[in-house]
Amino acid sequence: MRRWVPSLGLLAYLAALVAGNEVQIKQDDEHRQRCSGMYSRKSWGGSIDPFILVKFLPDHTEDDSDPIASLIIFEWQDEPLIGRMPPGGESYRDLETICTTDTVAQGLCEEKDIGAFILAPNATEASRNPISNEAIHLKDPKAINYPIRRTGYYCVSTYAFSDHEYNGVVEFRNAYGELPAAQIAKLPFYGGLTIVYAVLGIFWAFLYFQNRSDILPVQNYITAIIIFLIVEQLMTWGFYDYQNRHGNNALNKIFMIIVSILNAGRNSFSFFLLLIVCMGYGVVKPSLGRTMIYVRILAAAHFVFGVIYAIASMAVTPESVGPLILFVILPLAGTMTAFYVWTLSSLNVTIKDLIDRKQKTKAMMYKKLSWCILGSVLVIFAFFFINSFAIAGSGSANFVPEHWQTRWFVLDGWLNIVYLFNIAFIAYLWRPTANNRRFAMSDELAQDDDGFEIRSIADSIEDDDEEAANARKDQERAVPPSGGGAASSLTDAIAHEPSPARRPSPAPALQNSTQAAPPSKPLNPPQPRMSLDGETIFAVGDEGIEWSDGEDEDSGDERKKLTGK
């Protein structure tokens, strides 16, 4: 029963200090040392001076023993000042770190320091920050308050000098509030993301309202995800702000579950939107049919598995993870893989179909989307390799102490920036504009630049003009000279008068006249057509002039009227 007393006391103390950034310390290797980044009051501001508070629970064992726990508080850069090499020592494994009667005999420490850590002889002068070194008597432990004057990565290390169990609590208290120093940068970061998404939503809402009568279904999905992102980022910022003000209490844990669910919803919604966009929904296809049902089922499954994974990651500690965790990870990995494969294959099929149908404008939209996805993948891999080299170069033990201020960005921040860029790029490509539906539901006129269509039309028309001109000359020679003076003078006028230029048209046409012209006024006969070289395929006829198969016969009748026969 007595062994439960310290544990119950520890739980009561943790409940009293739940508002702070506290961690437990005890004698096992995993919990005997606790480290955290700390900011000075000057760095982030705040209402109090930052400090580290260490308190051991008193030992209630009824005997005459005097159990001792060794305690040292130091900044990581001063860690080489802890311990001394005994005479004849060759490696760091021979380093003596705890003052005992044997080390006193070797001259490594003094008798008054028995139970404490051994420091280098010049530790006080050489250290960048003060080093607190104490031998804590567990029968009547005193609280140790270590003030923080400079920003750094501080550690609290303990050791069971008397081989006696002990329990304690370490509180890392920064000046600005209750958030750990490694996470305080998330507060302005998520606040800034909320503002950016809100500005993006304002621009999108303006375009949506301006073109509200011509909105595509896929643009409604984009509208929904932008609104969802604004709410999700606002809730995430609110979670960190609440924790900074009130600590990690029960309400904050509920807040964290809500944020985890929203994050799983964002991932599922994002995969769903990207997949239907790559399938051509709203731009290439007005509807996906039954395929939309399958896509929604996959998105719902991914959301459920994402929520289960988020809750499991909060409820399961790393040391208690067993093979059953695979039943949580594998389903989520399966749905994510299905989204990746389906999205990339759909994008390739859509681009190929548009290219085959010579829909160049729409194909370029989807090519830009593929470039965006490819660029994001390359950025992710590049960032991964850069961080891998950084970790390998600094060493696993020194990576966290040297990069604790930027570790949040490596683990979380930059992925949010890549996601923001992707969603903004998709919103730009599929933004509401005038004639949305006309663009989506119509096909671009396929044109091949083979260079023979217009030329062949022009050549055939010129050949027809030459044949018609030769026929008219033969007909004029066959007319007898008894046509009268008026007819002879009219014929001579027609033969000698220069022909005015006229607009080219696809086929020769004569200007029909229903009334006979006076003999004194010469008429202009039909002239050979000009070449169509250089005209576009859309300029193939003059307005008001029709094609006629019997044009040669009409020309003969008109000629007879002019000659009086």
Side-chain angles (χ1 to χ4, degrees), residues 489-504:
S489 61
L490 180 59
T491 304
D492 295 339
I494 293 174
H496 292 88
E497 184 175 348
S499 59
R502 58 176 294 185
R503 291 188 306 161

Side-chain angles (χ1 to χ4, degrees), residues 498-563:
S499 59
R502 58 176 294 185
R503 291 188 306 161
S505 61
L510 298 177
Q511 298 180 357
N512 299 325
S513 177
T514 57
Q515 297 179 356
S520 59
K521 186 176 181 180
L523 297 177
N524 296 331
Q527 300 296 323
R529 292 293 313 272
M530 297 176 61
S531 173
L532 287 179
D533 290 346
E535 295 188 8
T536 64
I537 195 171
F538 301 103
V540 296
D542 294 335
E543 296 181 358
I545 300 178
E546 298 180 354
W547 293 64
S548 175
D549 295 335
E551 191 171 0
D552 292 340
E553 297 178 1
D554 294 340
S555 300
D557 295 340
E558 190 71 20
R559 179 60 60 186
K560 291 178 181 180
K561 291 179 181 180
L562 291 175
T563 56

